[in-house]
PDB file of all heavy atoms in Angstrom:
ATOM      1  N   CYS A 275      11.830   1.052 -17.659  1.00 92.00           N
ATOM      2  CA  CYS A 275      12.952   0.376 -18.301  1.00 92.00           C
ATOM      3  C   CYS A 275      13.572   1.318 -19.347  1.00 92.00           C
ATOM      4  O   CYS A 275      12.956   2.295 -19.752  1.00 92.00           O
ATOM      5  CB  CYS A 275      12.479  -0.926 -18.936  1.00 92.00           C
ATOM      6  SG  CYS A 275      11.596  -0.700 -20.483  1.00 92.00           S
ATOM      7  N   PRO A 276      14.803   1.026 -19.753  1.00 93.00           N
ATOM      8  CA  PRO A 276      15.421   1.903 -20.757  1.00 93.00           C
ATOM      9  C   PRO A 276      14.827   1.696 -22.155  1.00 93.00           C
ATOM     10  O   PRO A 276      14.972   2.554 -23.023  1.00 93.00           O
ATOM     11  CB  PRO A 276      16.895   1.472 -20.737  1.00 93.00           C
ATOM     12  CG  PRO A 276      16.895   0.086 -20.192  1.00 93.00           C
ATOM     13  CD  PRO A 276      15.710  -0.029 -19.282  1.00 93.00           C
ATOM     14  N   GLY A 277      14.170   0.564 -22.344  1.00 92.00           N
ATOM     15  CA  GLY A 277      13.688   0.232 -23.687  1.00 92.00           C
ATOM     16  C   GLY A 277      14.765  -0.505 -24.458  1.00 92.00           C
ATOM     17  O   GLY A 277      15.955  -0.389 -24.142  1.00 92.00           O
ATOM     18  N   CYS A 278      14.362  -1.280 -25.421  1.00 92.00           N
ATOM     19  CA  CYS A 278      15.310  -2.000 -26.282  1.00 92.00           C
ATOM     20  C   CYS A 278      14.571  -2.362 -27.565  1.00 92.00           C
ATOM     21  O   CYS A 278      13.459  -1.877 -27.800  1.00 92.00           O
ATOM     22  CB  CYS A 278      15.870  -3.233 -25.564  1.00 92.00           C
ATOM     23  SG  CYS A 278      14.640  -4.514 -25.313  1.00 92.00           S
ATOM     24  N   GLY A 279      15.165  -3.237 -28.339  1.00 92.00           N
ATOM     25  CA  GLY A 279      14.580  -3.587 -29.631  1.00 92.00           C
ATOM     26  C   GLY A 279      13.236  -4.286 -29.532  1.00 92.00           C
ATOM     27  O   GLY A 279      12.583  -4.516 -30.552  1.00 92.00           O
ATOM     28  N   ARG A 280      12.805  -4.637 -28.333  1.00 91.00           N
ATOM     29  CA  ARG A 280      11.507  -5.305 -28.194  1.00 91.00           C
ATOM     30  C   ARG A 280      10.339  -4.321 -28.112  1.00 91.00           C
ATOM     31  O   ARG A 280       9.189  -4.738 -28.083  1.00 91.00           O
ATOM     32  CB  ARG A 280      11.497  -6.170 -26.926  1.00 91.00           C
ATOM     33  CG  ARG A 280      12.492  -7.297 -26.960  1.00 91.00           C
ATOM     34  CD  ARG A 280      12.420  -8.164 -25.714  1.00 91.00           C
ATOM     35  NE  ARG A 280      13.479  -9.158 -25.732  1.00 91.00           N
ATOM     36  CZ  ARG A 280      14.715  -8.937 -25.289  1.00 91.00           C
ATOM     37  NH1 ARG A 280      15.030  -7.771 -24.758  1.00 91.00           N
ATOM     38  NH2 ARG A 280      15.630  -9.875 -25.371  1.00 91.00           N
ATOM     39  N   LEU A 281      10.677  -3.015 -28.020  1.00 91.00           N
ATOM     40  CA  LEU A 281       9.618  -2.015 -27.820  1.00 91.00           C
ATOM     41  C   LEU A 281       8.603  -1.998 -28.952  1.00 91.00           C
ATOM     42  O   LEU A 281       8.982  -2.040 -30.127  1.00 91.00           O
ATOM     43  CB  LEU A 281      10.237  -0.607 -27.729  1.00 91.00           C
ATOM     44  CG  LEU A 281      10.869  -0.212 -26.415  1.00 91.00           C
ATOM     45  CD1 LEU A 281      11.429   1.200 -26.535  1.00 91.00           C
ATOM     46  CD2 LEU A 281       9.855  -0.291 -25.286  1.00 91.00           C
ATOM     47  N   LEU A 285       8.119   4.400 -25.716  1.00 94.00           N
ATOM     48  CA  LEU A 285       8.266   4.308 -24.261  1.00 94.00           C
ATOM     49  C   LEU A 285       8.796   5.595 -23.625  1.00 94.00           C
ATOM     50  O   LEU A 285       8.298   6.041 -22.595  1.00 94.00           O
ATOM     51  CB  LEU A 285       9.199   3.151 -23.902  1.00 94.00           C
ATOM     52  CG  LEU A 285       9.363   2.988 -22.401  1.00 94.00           C
ATOM     53  CD1 LEU A 285       8.206   2.215 -21.804  1.00 94.00           C
ATOM     54  CD2 LEU A 285      10.675   2.331 -22.044  1.00 94.00           C
ATOM     55  N   MET A 308       6.770  -0.130 -18.099  1.00 93.00           N
ATOM     56  CA  MET A 308       7.686  -1.115 -18.670  1.00 93.00           C
ATOM     57  C   MET A 308       7.372  -1.351 -20.134  1.00 93.00           C
ATOM     58  O   MET A 308       6.211  -1.386 -20.545  1.00 93.00           O
ATOM     59  CB  MET A 308       7.567  -2.419 -17.876  1.00 93.00           C
ATOM     60  CG  MET A 308       7.880  -2.249 -16.391  1.00 93.00           C
ATOM     61  SD  MET A 308       9.594  -1.754 -16.080  1.00 93.00           S
ATOM     62  CE  MET A 308      10.434  -3.248 -16.535  1.00 93.00           C
ATOM     63  N   GLY A 309       8.451  -1.544 -20.909  1.00 92.00           N
ATOM     64  CA  GLY A 309       8.321  -1.567 -22.358  1.00 92.00           C
ATOM     65  C   GLY A 309       7.735  -2.830 -22.951  1.00 92.00           C
ATOM     66  O   GLY A 309       7.164  -2.802 -24.027  1.00 92.00           O
ATOM     67  N   CYS A 310       7.906  -3.961 -22.261  1.00 88.00           N
ATOM     68  CA  CYS A 310       7.397  -5.199 -22.864  1.00 88.00           C
ATOM     69  C   CYS A 310       7.126  -6.234 -21.786  1.00 88.00           C
ATOM     70  O   CYS A 310       7.277  -5.984 -20.606  1.00 88.00           O
ATOM     71  CB  CYS A 310       8.394  -5.726 -23.902  1.00 88.00           C
ATOM     72  SG  CYS A 310       9.771  -6.608 -23.150  1.00 88.00           S
ATOM     73  N   VAL A 311       6.773  -7.434 -22.222  1.00 81.00           N
ATOM     74  CA  VAL A 311       6.346  -8.455 -21.253  1.00 81.00           C
ATOM     75  C   VAL A 311       7.512  -9.198 -20.601  1.00 81.00           C
ATOM     76  O   VAL A 311       7.295  -9.993 -19.692  1.00 81.00           O
ATOM     77  CB  VAL A 311       5.403  -9.494 -21.920  1.00 81.00           C
ATOM     78  CG1 VAL A 311       4.088  -8.853 -22.290  1.00 81.00           C
ATOM     79  CG2 VAL A 311       6.074 -10.119 -23.133  1.00 81.00           C
ATOM     80  N   VAL A 312       8.778  -8.921 -21.030  1.00 81.00           N
ATOM     81  CA  VAL A 312       9.895  -9.675 -20.443  1.00 81.00           C
ATOM     82  C   VAL A 312      10.004  -9.400 -18.929  1.00 81.00           C
ATOM     83  O   VAL A 312       9.950 -10.311 -18.118  1.00 81.00           O
ATOM     84  CB  VAL A 312      11.230  -9.355 -21.162  1.00 81.00           C
ATOM     85  CG1 VAL A 312      12.398  -9.990 -20.427  1.00 81.00           C
ATOM     86  CG2 VAL A 312      11.199  -9.852 -22.598  1.00 81.00           C
ATOM     87  N   ASN A 313      10.165  -8.097 -18.576  1.00 78.00           N
ATOM     88  CA  ASN A 313      10.212  -7.742 -17.150  1.00 78.00           C
ATOM     89  C   ASN A 313       8.983  -6.965 -16.723  1.00 78.00           C
ATOM     90  O   ASN A 313       8.816  -6.668 -15.543  1.00 78.00           O
ATOM     91  CB  ASN A 313      11.434  -6.863 -16.861  1.00 78.00           C
ATOM     92  CG  ASN A 313      12.722  -7.635 -17.008  1.00 78.00           C
ATOM     93  OD1 ASN A 313      12.835  -8.756 -16.531  1.00 78.00           O
ATOM     94  ND2 ASN A 313      13.693  -7.056 -17.697  1.00 78.00           N
ATOM     95  N   GLY A 314       8.177  -6.593 -17.682  1.00 76.00           N
ATOM     96  CA  GLY A 314       7.050  -5.699 -17.424  1.00 76.00           C
ATOM     97  C   GLY A 314       6.123  -6.172 -16.329  1.00 76.00           C
ATOM     98  O   GLY A 314       6.000  -5.518 -15.289  1.00 76.00           O
TER      99      GLY A 314
HETATM  100 FE1  SF4 B 401      13.459  -4.146 -23.383  1.00 80.92          FE
HETATM  101 FE2  SF4 B 401      11.211  -5.123 -22.363  1.00 80.92          FE
HETATM  102 FE3  SF4 B 401      13.378  -4.846 -20.789  1.00 80.92          FE
HETATM  103 FE4  SF4 B 401      12.060  -2.703 -21.563  1.00 80.92          FE
HETATM  104  S1  SF4 B 401      11.240  -4.347 -20.266  1.00 80.92           S
HETATM  105  S2  SF4 B 401      14.269  -2.977 -21.660  1.00 80.92           S
HETATM  106  S3  SF4 B 401      11.423  -3.269 -23.601  1.00 80.92           S
HETATM  107  S4  SF4 B 401      13.172  -6.226 -22.513  1.00 80.92           S
END
Side-chain angles (χ1 to χ4, degrees):
C275 77
C278 69
R280 296 182 185 86
L281 281 179
L285 181 82
M308 301 296 290
C310 80
V311 292
V312 172
N313 291 315

